Amino acid sequence: IGDPENPLLSKDGDIILGGMFSFHTSWKDRKDTYTHKPLPLQCTSLNFRDLQFAQAMLFAIEEINNSTDLLPGVTLGYKIFNTCGNVARSVGLTLALANGNEIVSVPSKASCTRPAHVQAIMGETSSSPTIAIATVIGPFYVPVISHFATCACLSDKTKYPSFLRTIPSDYYQSRALAHLVKYFGWTWVGAIRTNNDYGNNGMATFTETAQRLGICLEYSVSFFRTDPSDKIREIIRTIKASTSKVIVAFLSHKEMDVLIHEFSYHNLSGYQWVGSESWIFDSQTSLNSSNNELFTEFWEALFNCKFRQSMSSADIQRECTGDEDLNGVKNSFTDMSLMPIFNNVYKGVYAVAHALHNTVSCNKTCSNNVQLDPFTVSLKLTNTIEGDEVYFNENGDPAAKYEIINWQPRENGIVEFVTVGLYDTSLAAEKQLNLQNKSLIWARNSKQVPVSVCSEKCPPGKRKVLQKGRPVCCYDCIRCAEGEISNITDSATCVRCLPEFWSNERRDTCIKKEAVFLSYEEIMGALLTAASLFGTCMTASVILIFFKYRKTSIVRANNSELSFLLLFSLILCFLCSLTFIGKPSDWSCMLRHTAFGITFVLCISCLLGKTMVVLMAFRATLPGSNVKKWFGHAQQRLCVLGFTLIQVIICIIWLTTSPPFPSKNFKEFKDKIILECALGSAVGYWAVIGYIGILAMLCFIFAFLARKLPDNFNEAKFITFSMLIFCAVWITFIPAYVSSPGKFSVAVEIFAILASSFGLLICIFIPKCYIILMKPEKNTKKNMMGKKSLHLF
């Protein structure tokens, strides 16, 4: 019911192709009252770029019409309309192309079913009008081939069955932009988009990919070129308040013109722009124009002149003559920077021509009797155009390959578009992005890559801790805890070192822990070794003295055989402490506890035998007593052997069931490994210690009972005193051993062995040696049997 609209550019032919371009970028906003028929849309702002696209279409059609190989004998015509980038207008013009734009309606008796007026439609440039066109024309399967509509949504064949394009989908471009941002280490960026299908869908895909790559958006704003100025100023305020220095702009060139004007007005600079294909090729902004006819408007804008009928008395511009020459004219119409997009239009026209050529069965000439059907044309769209590969996949999209363009200002004020890289989705993921960093020029003509991060990178040795309520790119760097490291930049976590390792001071490397054990080289180990050897030598000296004076009364008293066996066992006690020093091994761990247990039982068994001899000797002097008969030398040997054999059996059982073994203790010290001997079986260890304790208590009780027997040199007194020292040492040993860390617990055990051994040696044998060497006159049998006490106890 609307008024018919004539095409701006048209030509008759055997086969008609439709064209839809935005020769204007905007329109006058008006409010309809719906009380009368709305006036036609008033378009403004001449768009030289779409004029160039239309010119490319015309050039391709003329070239095909002059060709003898492609569609010979068939003339291609065209009807090209101006959509002004308006969706509603695009829908009306689509129907006009499909129906033929008749003024008179079809008679009721005539058939409504007939071929479409055009066999294919070239266009539109923007995604939103293209979506409207493809939606309306899709049910009729008229091919729509766009050269610049990149919205990924158009790949949906269920919604747009007849849509194809010669430019890659934003599905790939958005991801390419995200990978480009990631490549330069920009993790904190701003985002601006056109508030239409192109910008919203493209930015949504970019945001999704960016988040997956660890990139955060400080802000994401949208606007349309017809929005009120307040909204644009709000966006400027948002950018001013931001800290990011990189702006990803998914804008059409029309919105970019508006934004650049506002940036210039507010004197904003120093931002690094990352742009989509829609504006990155634009070298100049659009020109505002009046409502004159397109040709007049185009001529006046191109040559900067005015036709007489449009000039006023106040005009000082020169008058148009119609003879103006394009040579020397430099503006966006003569700018060839968009040649790749012109080529997209060119390839689209040729794709349709090849499909038509195959449909009408052309040999030397084409048949005019074939009934053309847009559905058949759509199926036969060709894959190659004169050696230049054109590929439409199942979604109607070509292969995605992008040149990466860097704007580089020159001395004469001209901005040169320099290709600095390539993004090719046909390659492996790690090879898709190829950049030449040396040739890049950044914001403010800098040679250094700008930095745009919310937080500086966390160096090795630290980890990221997210700031509450902020994006994941905003974090604090916290030093790793002791025993943990991070050896990469921007680590999210610290890794705990293996048990045998510890973190260094910088917390970026695990270093092997120091192995700690009681060694002969350190002072404490050397002192204990010296004490052990001194005790051994001291005991050996006593043996020599006793052997030399073995015939004397003091040596022969109370079984000299037990005395020599006791001295021998004391030597073993002193020497067994050496097994506790040095690096633990399987043999040393088994030897140190068993040797200690057996030698001490041997020693206490001898003392127990001596004490029992004193008690039995006294009872043997009583009338009628036959104790001596039952406790002679043989019985004493059997007593010592029996007591010792019990400890040997305990040790054998311990070693065969669960023996001690070398182990690494990681718990005592965080940064050290304590090499120690694990008990294996705690029951076996405490059985050995407990048996020694039982014998020591028996020996102490017997010696205590015999301490007041009438004898000038009562050995029981000295045994009692030595056992007091022995028991005191081992009673205090238990809490000291448990509370001492690491190698100090071993030192405590060695000290207990040496202290108790010295206690036995000094208390029992030193008084005898004193008599032998210093008081030989008292070393007689008469004196030994005297009634006076030496008061040594």
Side-chain angles (χ1 to χ4, degrees), residues 612-631:
M612 293 174 69
V613 166
V614 173
L615 281 174
M616 298 307 153
F618 174 73
R619 292 182 179 277
T621 60
L622 298 176
S625 175
N626 59 352
V627 174
K628 188 175 181 180
K629 174 184 176 182
W630 297 103
F631 209 82

Side-chain angles (χ1 to χ4, degrees), residues 381-633:
L381 279 170
T382 186
N383 289 333
T384 58
I385 300 174
E386 301 204 350
D388 187 13
E389 184 177 347
V390 176
Y391 167 75
F392 297 114
N393 62 17
E394 65 277 7
N395 297 322
D397 297 329
K401 184 184 292 186
Y402 298 95
E403 288 182 344
I404 299 171
I405 305 298
N406 183 220
W407 286 14
Q408 297 187 1
R410 300 306 181 198
E411 294 180 357
N412 55 6
I414 295 176
V415 175
E416 184 179 353
F417 298 161
V418 179
T419 300
V420 294
L422 190 68
Y423 187 88
D424 189 350
T425 58
S426 64
L427 302 176
E430 65 276 5
K431 297 181 179 179
Q432 289 180 352
L433 182 61
N434 183 18
L435 275 171
Q436 302 167 2
N437 290 349
K438 292 182 181 179
S439 60
L440 289 168
I441 294 179
W442 304 101
R444 292 176 175 168
N445 296 334
S446 172
K447 296 290 186 179
Q448 296 294 324
V449 179
V451 177
S452 186
V453 295
C454 182
S455 301
E456 291 296 329
K457 291 181 179 293
C458 290
K462 295 185 178 182
R463 64 182 177 90
K464 298 191 295 186
V465 176
L466 299 182
Q467 296 176 359
K468 189 175 181 180
R470 303 199 68 190
V472 295
C473 299
C474 302
Y475 48 81
D476 297 316
C477 296
I478 304 298
R479 194 182 188 207
C480 292
E482 288 185 336
E484 297 181 348
I485 66 159
S486 66
N487 54 8
I488 59 174
T489 302
D490 265 354
S491 175
T493 58
C494 293
V495 180
R496 179 161 290 279
C497 294
L498 295 174
E500 295 188 8
F501 293 83
W502 192 249
S503 56
N504 62 353
E505 185 63 27
R506 294 190 302 273
R507 306 284 200 274
D508 58 0
T509 305
C510 287
I511 56 176
K512 197 170 182 63
K513 289 181 181 179
E514 178 187 0
V516 177
F517 58 89
L518 188 62
S519 65
Y520 295 101
E521 288 79 11
E522 60 183 296
I523 296 176
M524 184 166 58
L527 291 175
L528 292 174
T529 302
S532 174
L533 295 176
F534 177 74
T536 303
C537 294
M538 188 175 174
T539 307
S541 300
V542 173
I543 291 175
L544 291 175
I545 293 172
F546 268 51
F547 183 77
K548 183 177 180 180
Y549 297 97
R550 62 186 180 280
K551 302 292 186 181
T552 60
S553 298
I554 199 168
V555 175
R556 295 178 61 190
N558 200 357
N559 197 337
S560 61
E561 185 177 333
L562 285 181
S563 296
F564 281 106
L565 186 58
L566 176 58
L567 288 169
F568 174 72
S569 65
L570 283 175
I571 288 178
L572 294 180
C573 288
F574 281 117
L575 292 177
C576 81
S577 64
L578 297 178
T579 61
F580 288 83
I581 304 175
K583 185 177 182 179
S585 64
D586 291 330
W587 285 105
S588 68
C589 286
M590 290 189 290
L591 182 62
R592 64 172 58 171
H593 289 105
T594 54
F596 156 70
I598 294 172
T599 54
F600 263 81
V601 165
L602 178 62
C603 180
I604 296 173
S605 298
C606 292
L607 290 176
L608 189 58
K610 279 180 166 290
T611 308
M612 293 174 69
V613 166
V614 173
L615 281 174
M616 298 307 153
F618 174 73
R619 292 182 179 277
T621 60
L622 298 176
S625 175
N626 59 352
V627 174
K628 188 175 181 180
K629 174 184 176 182
W630 297 103
F631 209 82
H633 289 287

Side-chain angles (χ1 to χ4, degrees), residues 96-270:
L97 281 173
N99 295 328
N101 203 26
E102 297 90 348
I103 299 175
V104 181
S105 61
V106 178
S108 59
K109 293 182 180 180
S111 174
C112 290
T113 304
R114 61 178 180 173
H117 183 66
V118 295
Q119 299 304 314
I121 297 175
M122 312 305 300
E124 222 263 12
T125 303
S126 301
S127 292
S128 290
T130 305
I131 291 171
I133 295 169
T135 302
V136 171
I137 208 68
F140 306 106
Y141 290 97
V142 176
V144 178
I145 304 177
S146 176
H147 54 281
F148 214 52
T150 58
C151 180
C153 57
L154 285 164
S155 298
D156 188 350
K157 280 297 179 184
T158 60
K159 292 182 179 179
Y160 317 107
S162 64
F163 176 77
L164 303 101
R165 53 185 157 196
T166 53
I167 190 170
S169 164
D170 281 339
Y171 176 87
Y172 304 103
Q173 181 181 206
S174 298
R175 284 161 175 76
L177 289 176
H179 284 283
L180 186 66
V181 170
K182 180 65 176 179
Y183 178 85
F184 291 113
W186 301 324
T187 57
W188 187 240
V189 299
I192 307 176
R193 67 188 185 276
T194 300
N195 191 16
N196 60 10
D197 295 287
Y198 168 75
N200 293 331
N201 284 279
M203 187 56 72
T205 305
F206 171 83
T207 303
E208 177 188 345
T209 308
Q211 288 176 348
R212 194 168 62 249
L213 295 175
I215 301 166
C216 300
L217 301 186
E218 185 179 9
Y219 57 86
S220 182
V221 293
S222 65
F223 74 99
F224 198 69
R225 55 186 175 274
T226 57
D227 285 343
S229 56
D230 289 345
K231 185 170 183 179
I232 310 298
R233 284 194 290 269
E234 180 62 31
I235 292 174
I236 295 298
R237 284 193 291 269
T238 300
I239 296 173
K240 280 184 176 180
S242 67
T243 58
S244 56
K245 296 300 180 184
V246 174
I247 300 176
V248 178
F250 223 98
L251 301 168
S252 71
H253 71 285
K254 307 156 192 175
E255 278 72 33
M256 194 63 191
D257 292 339
V258 176
L259 195 61
I260 288 177
H261 174 76
E262 289 294 327
F263 264 68
S264 177
Y265 179 78
H266 290 87
N267 196 26
L268 285 177
S269 62

